[in-house]
Amino acid sequence: MSNDAPPPKSWTFRVPGVPKTKRGAAPGRAGQMHGSRSTNTYEMMIAGAAIEAGLAAGKGPCRIEVGVVLPNRRVKDDDRIKSAVNDGLKRAGKAA
């Protein structure tokens, strides 16, 4: 049995600056939930870098590899960094 599916597309891009972890939503003054400003900014940076790299939305399943370089030895929660990256890619997919 041969696999006639085309090879998956690949996009590579870098996001400048220090990686940010995904922060949970918090209630505002009027009780509505809102996300962290720094998280939203970081997700928009990811979306912009992905769109510049030619990310195409709706092209089927994909595999994501995340490489993180931290400027110091401080440990960050890699699951929260990956969550911020995934949400940034979702934003890019909606904009593409």
Side-chain angles (χ1 to χ4, degrees):
M1 180 189 284
S2 68
N3 185 359
D4 294 331
K9 289 205 171 223
S10 174
W11 296 274
T12 302
F13 59 91
R14 293 178 184 262
V15 178
V18 178
K20 305 280 187 219
T21 57
K22 178 77 177 183
R23 299 189 53 168
R29 290 184 193 157
Q32 74 276 19
M33 300 298 281
H34 63 88
S36 162
R37 182 174 291 150
S38 67
T39 299
N40 288 336
T41 301
Y42 187 61
E43 289 174 3
M44 293 302 291
M45 287 175 58
I46 292 167
I51 291 169
E52 280 185 25
L55 178 79
K59 299 296 182 185
C62 65
R63 183 179 80 195
I64 299 170
E65 294 180 23
V66 178
V68 176
V69 178
L70 298 173
N72 53 32
R73 294 180 186 232
R74 189 172 156 215
V75 177
K76 288 196 173 196
D77 185 349
D78 65 337
D79 285 336
R80 287 182 175 241
I81 292 173
K82 291 175 190 173
S83 179
V85 170
N86 285 333
D87 288 349
L89 291 174
K90 286 178 194 173
R91 288 178 187 237
K94 290 177 183 175

